[in-house]
Amino acid sequence: MRFAISFIVSCGLLAGTSSGFAREGVEVGGNSTFSKLVPAGDVERSAVQQYAQMLQQAAAQNALGRDDHPQVQRLRAIARRIIPFSYEWNPRARDWKWEVNLIGSRQINAFCMPGGKIAFYSGILDQLKLSDDEVAMVMGHEIAHALREHARERMGKNAATSIGASVLSQVLGLGQTGQALTNYGAQLLTLQFSRQDESEADLVGMELAARAGYNPQAGVTLWQKMGAASGGAPPQWLSTHPSGSTRIADIQKNLPKVMPLYERARKG
C-alpha cells in the first residue's frame, strides 16, 4: 500500500503544476491529482443530497434562517460579491447552484460543500461579533476548500488507500471510482482537512475577499478572535489545523500580494 502511494508521489502526480505564467495574488500551485481519482460531478451530487438533508433537519428544529432574516441577507450579499471571483480558481464553479444558509446553533463554524453549498452557524456571527470584512474572510476560506476540491482530494486518497496497489492502475483510469465514492460520500460533513489544505484555503480565501472589495487585513483580527474563543485549544503539532499564530503570520506575509487587489476593488 505504501508503495502504491509512493509511486504516485515519485511520478510527480501528487500536486498539479502552475500554468507557467505570473498572476496577481497568492501562489498555491495546482489542485492535487488525488482529486482526479473521484469524479467531480459525483462528489457534487452527493454534496447536494447531504446539504438538503442538513437544511431539512434544521428546518424541522426551527433552526433554519428565513430568507428575510437580516443575517441571511447579509451573508448572501457578501457571497454575491465573492462568487464571481471563484471562477478563475475552478471553471466548474460557474455552473454550480450556489446556496447560502444560516443555521441556528452556538457552534463557531461555517463550511462550503462541493458545488457551492455554503452554511454559517449563528454562533460564529454572534459570539465573535464578525465585521463584514471578517465574514468575507471566513466565507472566502470555506469557498476555497470547495474550489480547490479538498474534499474530493481526501476521498481520492481514501479510495487509493482502500483499493490498493493491485488495482491502482484501474483507479487512475477512473475505472473503480463510482464504488469508492459510494463508500465515502456520506463523509462530506465530517472529512478532516490537512494543515496544508487549511493554509491553502486561508490564502485563496484572502485573495477572493480582497478581489471582492473586503479588507484582507481582517484575517488577522478574525484569527485573534478565534484564538480568544478557542481558549485551551491544542498546540499546532497536536492538531490538523495550523495554530492561530501561524495563520496570522502567513496572512501578514501574503498581505502585500493581495492589498493591491483590495485597493483596486475599493476604488472601482
Side-chain angles (χ1 to χ4, degrees):
M1 196 66 61
R2 292 178 180 174
F3 171 78
I5 304 302
S6 299
F7 175 78
I8 296 176
V9 176
S10 66
C11 288
L13 297 177
L14 179 58
T17 58
S18 63
S19 52
F21 60 88
R23 65 178 297 277
E24 285 189 287
V26 301
E27 301 168 4
V28 293
N31 287 20
S32 169
T33 298
F34 274 111
S35 65
K36 295 178 174 59
L37 301 185
V38 180
D42 288 354
V43 176
E44 291 162 14
R45 282 189 290 272
S46 181
V48 168
Q49 295 175 358
Q50 293 287 328
Y51 189 75
Q53 291 174 9
M54 182 199 69
L55 295 186
Q56 289 174 359
Q57 292 172 359
Q61 298 169 4
N62 199 29
L64 181 62
R66 294 167 54 95
D67 290 341
D68 60 355
H69 191 290
Q71 290 285 36
V72 173
Q73 294 179 340
R74 177 192 184 203
L75 290 171
R76 291 176 179 173
I78 293 171
R80 282 194 294 270
R81 288 174 57 176
I82 293 176
I83 289 170
F85 298 100
S86 70
Y87 307 149
E88 176 189 356
W89 288 97
N90 190 325
R92 295 183 63 84
R94 190 179 296 273
D95 298 321
W96 287 349
K97 298 185 185 304
W98 292 85
E99 294 185 58
V100 184
N101 284 285
L102 177 67
I103 307 298
S105 169
R106 288 184 56 81
Q107 290 187 55
I108 299 178
N109 198 12
F111 62 82
C112 178
M113 298 176 74
K117 305 303 184 184
I118 300 170
F120 270 66
Y121 291 90
S122 58
I124 195 170
L125 301 175
D126 298 339
Q127 296 186 51
L128 300 189
K129 309 296 183 186
L130 298 183
S131 67
D132 285 357
D133 291 323
E134 291 166 341
V135 169
M137 288 292 293
V138 174
M139 189 176 294
H141 172 99
E142 300 304 332
I143 288 174
H145 278 308
L147 296 175
R148 300 291 290 172
E149 300 184 300
H150 290 154
R152 187 180 171 205
E153 173 190 349
R154 303 302 295 178
M155 289 180 181
K157 288 180 178 178
N158 288 343
T161 300
S162 64
I163 293 172
S166 63
V167 293
L168 185 59
S169 60
Q170 297 179 46
V171 177
L172 291 174
L174 301 181
Q176 305 224 352
T177 52
Q179 183 176 357
L181 179 65
T182 301
N183 297 332
Y184 297 108
Q187 299 179 15
L188 279 170
L189 288 174
T190 59
L191 283 173
Q192 295 293 314
F193 296 129
S194 67
R195 293 183 190 176
Q196 180 179 344
D197 291 343
E198 293 293 340
S199 297
E200 187 177 283
D202 282 345
L203 299 186
V204 174
M206 179 170 63
E207 179 181 312
L208 291 171
R211 289 185 183 277
Y214 294 101
N215 190 343
Q217 292 175 317
V220 174
T221 57
L222 168 65
W223 285 106
Q224 288 172 340
K225 290 181 177 181
M226 291 286 281
S230 63
Q236 178 177 348
W237 60 275
L238 288 178
S239 173
T240 58
H241 290 53
S243 68
S245 60
T246 296
R247 299 182 105 135
I248 289 173
D250 288 343
I251 288 170
Q252 291 174 327
K253 178 181 177 181
N254 283 273
L255 277 174
K257 298 178 181 179
V258 296
M259 285 302 293
L261 303 176
Y262 163 64
E263 296 292 348
R264 191 183 310 153
R266 189 176 62 168
K267 292 177 181 177

